[in-house]
Short mmCIF file of all heavy atoms in Angstrom, two decimals:
data_model
loop_
_atom_site.label_atom_id
_atom_site.label_comp_id
_atom_site.label_asym_id
_atom_site.label_seq_id
_atom_site.Cartn_x
_atom_site.Cartn_y
_atom_site.Cartn_z
N LEU I 61 62.90 21.08 67.14
CA LEU I 61 61.51 21.52 67.02
C LEU I 61 60.71 20.85 68.13
O LEU I 61 60.69 19.62 68.22
CB LEU I 61 60.93 21.14 65.66
CG LEU I 61 61.60 21.77 64.43
CD1 LEU I 61 60.92 21.29 63.14
CD2 LEU I 61 61.58 23.29 64.49
N MET I 125 36.06 27.89 46.35
CA MET I 125 36.96 28.06 45.20
C MET I 125 37.67 26.75 44.84
O MET I 125 38.65 26.77 44.08
CB MET I 125 38.02 29.13 45.51
CG MET I 125 37.44 30.49 45.77
SD MET I 125 37.72 31.54 44.33
CE MET I 125 37.33 33.14 44.98
N GLN I 132 43.46 30.82 37.36
CA GLN I 132 42.21 31.59 37.43
C GLN I 132 42.14 32.44 38.70
O GLN I 132 41.10 33.02 39.00
CB GLN I 132 41.02 30.64 37.37
CG GLN I 132 40.93 29.89 36.05
CD GLN I 132 39.91 28.77 36.10
OE1 GLN I 132 39.95 27.93 36.98
NE2 GLN I 132 38.98 28.78 35.14
N GLY I 161 56.10 38.49 48.02
CA GLY I 161 57.02 38.77 46.94
C GLY I 161 56.60 39.77 45.90
O GLY I 161 56.90 40.95 46.00
N GLY I 215 64.57 41.07 68.94
CA GLY I 215 63.84 41.83 69.95
C GLY I 215 62.48 42.24 69.44
O GLY I 215 62.15 42.00 68.28
N THR I 231 70.29 51.52 61.11
CA THR I 231 70.03 52.14 59.82
C THR I 231 69.11 51.30 58.93
O THR I 231 68.50 51.82 58.02
CB THR I 231 71.35 52.42 59.07
OG1 THR I 231 72.12 51.22 59.05
CG2 THR I 231 72.13 53.51 59.74
N LEU I 238 73.81 58.72 62.35
CA LEU I 238 74.81 58.17 63.26
C LEU I 238 75.83 59.26 63.53
O LEU I 238 76.42 59.82 62.61
CB LEU I 238 75.48 56.95 62.66
CG LEU I 238 74.59 55.73 62.45
CD1 LEU I 238 75.38 54.60 61.82
CD2 LEU I 238 73.98 55.27 63.77
N ARG I 242 82.16 62.78 71.61
CA ARG I 242 83.15 62.55 72.64
C ARG I 242 82.47 62.70 73.98
O ARG I 242 81.81 63.69 74.24
CB ARG I 242 84.25 63.61 72.54
CG ARG I 242 85.10 63.43 71.33
CD ARG I 242 86.43 62.86 71.74
NE ARG I 242 87.31 62.84 70.58
CZ ARG I 242 88.62 62.67 70.70
NH1 ARG I 242 89.17 62.55 71.89
NH2 ARG I 242 89.37 62.63 69.63
N ARG I 254 99.01 62.67 83.19
CA ARG I 254 100.02 61.98 84.01
C ARG I 254 101.25 61.68 83.18
O ARG I 254 101.19 61.56 81.97
CB ARG I 254 99.45 60.65 84.48
CG ARG I 254 98.58 60.78 85.67
CD ARG I 254 97.83 59.48 85.84
NE ARG I 254 96.49 59.75 86.31
CZ ARG I 254 96.20 59.89 87.59
NH1 ARG I 254 97.12 59.77 88.49
NH2 ARG I 254 94.97 60.16 87.95
N GLY I 297 72.98 74.80 62.03
CA GLY I 297 73.18 74.33 60.67
C GLY I 297 72.29 75.11 59.71
O GLY I 297 71.57 76.01 60.12
N THR I 317 80.51 74.17 61.81
CA THR I 317 81.55 73.70 62.72
C THR I 317 81.29 74.18 64.15
O THR I 317 81.98 73.78 65.08
CB THR I 317 82.94 74.18 62.28
OG1 THR I 317 82.83 75.54 61.90
CG2 THR I 317 83.43 73.35 61.11
N GLU I 318 80.28 75.04 64.31
CA GLU I 318 79.96 75.48 65.68
C GLU I 318 79.38 74.33 66.49
O GLU I 318 79.37 74.35 67.70
CB GLU I 318 78.89 76.59 65.67
CG GLU I 318 79.13 77.72 64.70
CD GLU I 318 77.81 78.39 64.35
OE1 GLU I 318 77.23 79.03 65.23
OE2 GLU I 318 77.35 78.26 63.20
N SER I 326 80.76 60.65 57.04
CA SER I 326 81.59 61.43 56.13
C SER I 326 83.03 61.03 56.42
O SER I 326 83.41 60.78 57.55
CB SER I 326 81.39 62.91 56.37
OG SER I 326 81.47 63.17 57.73
N ARG I 327 83.80 60.96 55.38
CA ARG I 327 85.13 60.40 55.56
C ARG I 327 86.17 61.46 55.29
O ARG I 327 86.23 62.02 54.21
CB ARG I 327 85.27 59.20 54.64
CG ARG I 327 84.15 58.21 54.89
CD ARG I 327 83.90 57.36 53.69
NE ARG I 327 85.14 56.72 53.30
CZ ARG I 327 85.69 55.74 54.00
NH1 ARG I 327 85.09 55.28 55.03
NH2 ARG I 327 86.82 55.22 53.62
N GLU I 330 91.86 64.23 55.56
CA GLU I 330 92.83 65.19 56.05
C GLU I 330 93.81 64.51 56.98
O GLU I 330 93.61 63.41 57.45
CB GLU I 330 92.09 66.27 56.82
CG GLU I 330 90.85 66.72 56.09
CD GLU I 330 90.75 68.20 56.01
OE1 GLU I 330 91.44 68.88 56.78
OE2 GLU I 330 90.00 68.67 55.17
N LEU I 391 98.29 53.62 54.92
CA LEU I 391 97.50 52.83 55.85
C LEU I 391 96.00 53.04 55.63
O LEU I 391 95.21 52.10 55.60
CB LEU I 391 97.89 53.23 57.28
CG LEU I 391 97.55 52.33 58.44
CD1 LEU I 391 97.99 50.90 58.18
CD2 LEU I 391 98.21 52.87 59.71
N VAL I 454 93.52 48.84 69.61
CA VAL I 454 94.51 49.15 68.59
C VAL I 454 94.48 48.03 67.56
O VAL I 454 94.48 46.85 67.93
CB VAL I 454 95.93 49.28 69.20
CG1 VAL I 454 96.95 49.56 68.10
CG2 VAL I 454 95.96 50.37 70.25
N PRO I 458 98.79 44.49 58.68
CA PRO I 458 99.84 44.31 57.67
C PRO I 458 99.46 45.09 56.42
O PRO I 458 98.26 45.23 56.13
CB PRO I 458 99.82 42.80 57.39
CG PRO I 458 99.09 42.19 58.53
CD PRO I 458 98.13 43.22 59.02
N ARG I 466 88.50 33.96 58.73
CA ARG I 466 88.38 33.33 60.05
C ARG I 466 88.97 34.27 61.10
O ARG I 466 90.03 34.85 60.89
CB ARG I 466 89.14 32.01 60.03
CG ARG I 466 88.96 31.16 61.25
CD ARG I 466 89.32 29.70 60.91
NE ARG I 466 89.14 28.84 62.06
CZ ARG I 466 90.11 28.51 62.90
NH1 ARG I 466 91.33 28.99 62.73
NH2 ARG I 466 89.86 27.70 63.92
N ALA I 524 78.81 36.06 75.93
CA ALA I 524 78.75 36.70 74.61
C ALA I 524 77.31 36.71 74.10
O ALA I 524 76.85 37.68 73.51
CB ALA I 524 79.65 35.97 73.62
N ARG I 533 81.96 30.07 68.58
CA ARG I 533 82.39 28.71 68.87
C ARG I 533 83.58 28.79 69.81
O ARG I 533 84.31 29.77 69.82
CB ARG I 533 82.83 28.03 67.58
CG ARG I 533 81.66 27.87 66.68
CD ARG I 533 81.97 26.90 65.60
NE ARG I 533 81.14 27.23 64.47
CZ ARG I 533 81.25 26.62 63.32
NH1 ARG I 533 82.17 25.70 63.14
NH2 ARG I 533 80.44 26.96 62.34
N PRO I 553 96.13 30.93 55.58
CA PRO I 553 96.07 32.38 55.37
C PRO I 553 94.65 32.89 55.58
O PRO I 553 93.72 32.09 55.75
CB PRO I 553 96.49 32.53 53.91
CG PRO I 553 96.16 31.22 53.27
CD PRO I 553 96.25 30.18 54.34
N GLY I 560 92.83 39.99 73.78
CA GLY I 560 92.66 40.79 74.99
C GLY I 560 93.95 40.77 75.78
O GLY I 560 94.48 39.71 76.10
#
Side-chain angles (χ1 to χ4, degrees):
L61 298 179
M125 298 255 193
Q132 296 169 307
T231 50
L238 294 179
R242 290 255 187 165
R254 278 167 217 274
T317 44
E318 312 156 68
S326 48
R327 305 156 55 72
E330 316 228 342
L391 197 50
V454 178
R466 188 159 181 265
R533 294 195 206 174

